[in-house]
Amino acid sequence: MLIGNHLSASKGYAAMGRAAIALGANTFAFFTRNPRGGKAKEVNPEDVKKLLLLMEEHRFGKLVAHAPYTMNLCAAKEDIRQFSKGMIADDLARMEYTPGNYYNFHPGSHVGQGAECGIELIAEALNAVLTEEQTTTVLLETMAGKGSEVGRSFEELRDILLRVTLKDKMGVCFDTCHVWDAGYDIVNDLDGVLKEFDGIIGLNRLMAVHFNDSMNPCGAHKDRHARIGEGCIGAEALRRVATHPLLAGKPFILETPNDDEGYKREINMIREWAKE
Ligand code: FE
Ligand code: FE
Ligand code: ZN
């Protein structure tokens, strides 16, 4: 079972590796820069080398880096789109210090331009920044459909993927809270939801899972994460997700409101489920 949580990158790469190990994790997520945006810190190759060694020693799975929330490839304003494109290009260049991992981002908010326009703009930006040489796989996150979020349905994600030329560089991150909030009933029909995903996008594109409970009912389009077992999805349904054979081997990232002790407990609980 590959399981971990979001770690702070403020103390560097090796520190994240040590923090993950201390929590019992064997993967983790981190923001490539301050989640609210701003300039990214310079990467220290020595620091990265230490992380890569730790990851090898402790048999880590792929990491799931997260783009800042301020990045919006389908903003209505041209300057925000340009800024966001520069941000993703820079992040992808820095991701090559840790080759072969995942870089996840929220597709964007179309802010009144309509989902179709948003989809076009996102795909256009991806086509401008993806390169044949990159070893990183870029993941579109399934979204709750709050406001004008693009990616609120499997169809919208497919429509982005269809327009991207370098398809091998792309995948999807399945966020349990978001999918539930978007209206996919993973409590009563997980198999049906995965089958639907497979029919529309293809399960071979599902690379990682954001593992969260939700404070709101199915279809609420709210996006408020809850601790595992403390929300509307509940422990039983989430156990079925964590142990589903079609999701085996994918990195599961907790984005639950927790302190370190809480994460340790959740990681441990999910490992126990996987053993049963
Ligand atoms: Fe996210
Ligand atoms: Fe998420
Ligand atoms: Zn969320």
Side-chain angles (χ1 to χ4, degrees), residues 66 69 104 106 141 175 178 210 255:
H66 201 302
Y69 295 130
N104 168 71
H106 296 182
E141 182 165 345
D175 185 310
H178 296 180
H210 278 175
E255 298 177 311

